[in-house]
Amino acid sequence: MQKVAVIGAGTMGNGIAHVFAQNGFTVHLIDVAQPALDKALDTIVRNLNRQLAKEIITEAVKQSTINNLHTFTDLAAGVKDAELVVEAATENADLKLRIFRDLDQFTAPGAILATNTSSISITKIAAVTSWPGKVIGMHFMNPVPVMKLVEIINGYATESEVTDTVRELSLKLGKVPCIVNDYPGFVANRILMPMINEAICALHEGVAGVESIDTVMRLGMAHPMGPLQLADFIGLDVCLSILRVLHDGFGQPKYAPCPLLVNMVTAGHLGVKSGKGFYKYEGAGKDLTVSDRFRQ
Ligand SMILES: NC(=O)c1ccc[n+]([C@@H]2O[C@H](COP(=O)([O-])OP(=O)(O)OC[C@H]3O[C@@H](n4cnc5c(N)ncnc54)[C@H](O)[C@@H]3O)[C@@H](O)[C@H]2O)c1
């Protein structure tokens, strides 16, 4: 396998394109928005420069990575020769179903169709294609060039040869694949999101402040960052939408999103990407500063 198409050039798409290109694959990076593609290329070059400075890669690898990347705004043109497509567009079920209906039409027979969705059912996405056996979850973690895990999710109909190929590919990218089945939240988010939600509930109920909650989990549980900082990093809108998938999928009150999270998303306080969440990021220096709203 040599040709990979990545759909969506946002936070995850640029990272996924980066790791494939760095490992010798020809990558077609596709987005509906040209500015998103321009920004993605800037980000990839910045991240390559960081890897170069840390002597993780050589100048030759940096150049070949850049040469392996090609951008497209037209889906049909971008995917037509791809042997693997990794969809990393916005987390919206209707949008992903539309993209996979189009992929079914535009990709060559035999192409594997993977999605990086955090929470949408692989089985549901596969069902809109004419060959559900070729559809699989390939869930990279953020930031993709750094994080080792790829959670591979088998849909109800995913063929075992497809799982084997995606597992092998993940190893070629220097990642550690973990194969799981398609149930709400898969494994990563089924466990992570209730923890983040509980941290937000603890803040909402006044059990402790932002810094105390994050410090307890960092120093007490050896987590590299606290759950509130992590929520800001993931995006509070993304956290809310995953919790809604868990709540709908399992029908249990324990997954109900905390009202504070709902309010923050409604107010547009989405974390790092909007400059404001539990911490503030606009004009902030290296040190984390708690948002004024949560100063004790
Ligand atoms: N952010 C995370 O930490 C994280 C982690 C793991 C998985 N994911 C998943 O990865 C996917 C992408 O998330 P993100 O955080 O990169 O989102 P993002 O908002 O940063 O980027 C999404 C990109 O998709 C593009 N897009 C929208 N519709 C499109 C279409 N029809 N065709 C092509 N491009 C289109 C947008 O222009 C945007 O550039 C989601 O499914 C998300 O759940 C996110």
Side-chain angles (χ1 to χ4, degrees):
M1 189 173 285
Q2 192 50 43
K3 292 182 183 162
V4 176
V6 178
I7 303 176
T11 312
M12 297 304 288
N14 84 64
I16 296 166
H18 176 149
V19 294
F20 274 106
Q22 187 184 325
N23 285 283
F25 293 84
T26 299
V27 178
H28 289 186
L29 180 58
I30 306 158
D31 203 289
V32 281
Q34 185 61 45
L37 290 167
D38 298 340
K39 191 173 164 206
L41 288 184
D42 284 350
T43 304
I44 292 171
V45 170
R46 207 171 338 109
N47 288 337
L48 285 168
N49 285 336
R50 193 174 300 137
Q51 289 174 300
L52 191 60
K54 289 184 179 168
E55 298 183 355
I56 297 168
I57 58 168
T58 61
E59 179 64 36
V61 170
K62 176 187 154 184
Q63 278 316 320
S64 68
T65 304
I66 294 169
N67 294 343
N68 284 340
L69 285 163
H70 310 274
T71 60
F72 292 79
T73 50
D74 181 57
L75 181 72
V79 301
K80 86 172 155 28
D81 298 327
E83 294 152 283
L84 168 73
V85 178
V86 184
E87 175 277 317
T90 314
E91 185 79 346
N92 172 303
D94 290 340
L95 172 72
K96 290 195 193 283
L97 296 184
R98 202 167 67 232
I99 290 174
F100 275 77
R101 269 188 214 105
D102 288 344
L103 289 177
D104 201 36
Q105 222 186 308
F106 299 144
T107 49
I112 293 177
L113 307 183
T115 171
N116 186 54
T117 180
S118 305
S119 61
I120 298 164
S121 162
I122 309 303
T123 307
K124 184 173 170 176
I125 292 174
V128 302
T129 70
S130 57
W131 182 19
K134 69 184 171 183
V135 179
I136 191 162
M138 198 174 186
H139 186 201
F140 290 87
M141 304 291 137
N142 184 15
V144 182
V146 177
M147 297 292 279
K148 283 281 180 199
L149 179 70
V150 180
E151 189 181 31
I152 296 175
I153 306 116
N154 280 328
Y156 192 79
T158 306
E159 290 168 10
S160 58
E161 294 78 6
V162 171
T163 311
D164 291 345
T165 305
V166 170
R167 189 180 164 279
E168 287 301 316
L169 274 173
S170 306
L171 291 170
K172 275 193 192 146
L173 300 178
K175 303 295 184 195
V176 178
C178 236
I179 298 169
V180 310
N181 290 317
D182 183 27
Y183 288 95
F186 318 132
V187 169
N189 282 316
R190 179 176 178 161
I191 296 171
L192 175 65
M193 286 302 153
M195 184 190 74
I196 285 178
N197 198 39
E198 201 59 35
I200 300 171
C201 287
L203 176 69
H204 184 50
E205 290 165 17
V207 179
V210 170
E211 281 166 316
S212 299
I213 291 170
D214 274 356
T215 305
V216 166
M217 298 305 285
R218 266 191 309 108
L219 302 187
M221 316 300 156
H223 290 190
M225 66 172 78
L228 299 174
Q229 187 188 354
L230 181 57
D232 274 358
F233 186 60
I234 294 169
L236 301 191
D237 51 339
V238 176
C239 294
L240 178 60
S241 100
I242 298 171
L243 280 162
R244 286 193 165 136
V245 168
L246 292 172
H247 195 216
D248 290 348
F250 292 115
Q252 290 175 28
K254 68 176 177 177
Y255 297 111
C258 176
L260 172 60
L261 174 64
V262 177
N263 264 357
M264 290 177 76
V265 173
T266 308
H269 293 208
L270 308 180
V272 176
K273 66 177 137 186
S274 72
K276 210 182 280 177
F278 297 105
Y279 298 88
K280 54 183 175 187
Y281 303 91
E282 273 163 359
K286 246 186 154 192
D287 292 332
L288 268 182
T289 315
V290 174
S291 282
D292 298 339
R293 181 78 176 62
F294 301 114
R295 284 257 174 82
Q296 285 182 314

